[in-house]
Amino acid sequence: MSFSIYVTGLMMGLSLIVAIGAQNAFILRQGLRNEHVFAVCLACAVSDAALIVLGVTSLQQVARLLPWLDPLMRYGGAAFLAWYGAKSLYSALRSSAALTAAEATSASFRQTLMTCLALTWLNPHVYLDTVVLLGTISTRYPGQQTSFAAGAVTGSFLFFFSLGYGATWLRPIFSKPSSWRMLETLVAFTMWVIAFKLLGGM
């Protein structure tokens, strides 16, 4: 395994997932709630790893076999993100002055995990970043794609678990109802912006 190419994959993987998006906003909120954090981080990291491996090993074959996948994921993902954004905004608007991060209504493990997987697998941007972009970049390193993929997978695990458990440090800030409402509003508009970009083909 080439260490330099491993590091390149690690840095590329991190650079693509650091930006605030639907998945990251959800992990941050779960971390603040201290609710099913390990399962959510693991689900996102394993999903990313599977998509990275798919992109590195099978990018061209997937594009030829499933030409209908792009429009399906684009419109389905946009619809889901629009709904989730509305749900978050509703939560922000109905929050009372007594609501705190710790007192927020808890979701079941199954509901949380299903939402997490939907935000991951129904978002075409995830496929663009992991399958298409990382898959394409890996072709620059013939014979060393395994090192590149291992680095990118490591980056996903590091980022998701750092985000989920690092949110603990922000918990005192979000003990204020106003901060929690701001987060819910930010999540809502993040989802809507991504949905709008998907419908626009961006």
Side-chain angles (χ1 to χ4, degrees):
M1 177 178 288
S2 171
F3 182 73
S4 62
I5 296 177
Y6 172 85
V7 173
T8 300
L10 173 65
M11 299 308 296
M12 286 303 304
L14 285 173
S15 67
L16 290 176
I17 60 176
V18 163
I20 294 178
Q23 191 182 49
N24 295 346
F26 181 76
I27 294 173
L28 175 62
R29 195 168 77 167
Q30 292 303 117
L32 290 169
R33 290 174 179 264
N34 194 26
E35 186 178 280
H36 312 306
V37 180
F38 180 82
V40 166
C41 294
L42 183 64
C44 290
V46 171
S47 295
D48 246 29
L51 290 170
I52 289 168
V53 172
L54 177 66
V56 171
T57 60
S58 311
L59 174 62
Q60 294 179 343
Q61 294 91 325
V62 170
R64 283 198 301 265
L65 291 174
L66 305 174
W68 47 265
L69 187 61
D70 177 67
L72 176 65
M73 296 305 299
R74 181 186 304 172
Y75 292 111
F80 177 81
L81 292 172
W83 170 82
Y84 193 88
K87 181 172 177 287
S88 295
L89 186 60
Y90 175 74
S91 177
L93 293 176
R94 69 187 291 270
S95 297
S96 67
L99 179 67
T100 66
E103 295 167 348
T105 303
S106 297
S108 68
F109 174 79
R110 181 178 180 277
Q111 181 182 359
T112 300
L113 188 60
M114 292 302 292
T115 300
C116 174
L117 293 175
L119 286 170
T120 300
W121 293 90
L122 293 180
N123 185 358
H125 283 184
V126 173
Y127 295 88
L128 176 64
D129 290 346
T130 55
V131 178
V132 179
L133 292 182
L134 291 178
T136 300
I137 294 171
S138 71
T139 60
R140 301 178 184 175
Y141 309 104
Q144 298 290 340
Q145 285 98 331
T146 300
S147 298
F148 182 87
V153 168
T154 301
S156 293
F157 273 84
L158 284 175
F159 177 78
F160 289 131
F161 278 92
S162 296
L163 179 63
Y165 286 99
T168 302
W169 299 98
L170 299 175
R171 204 169 292 151
I173 298 175
F174 285 91
S175 64
K176 301 176 181 179
S178 58
S179 298
W180 195 254
R181 286 195 295 268
M182 288 177 61
L183 175 65
E184 293 282 18
T185 303
L186 175 62
V187 169
F189 281 99
T190 298
M191 304 298 177
W192 287 342
V193 168
I194 298 173
F196 179 77
K197 289 183 177 181
L198 290 180
L199 291 175
M202 296 176 64

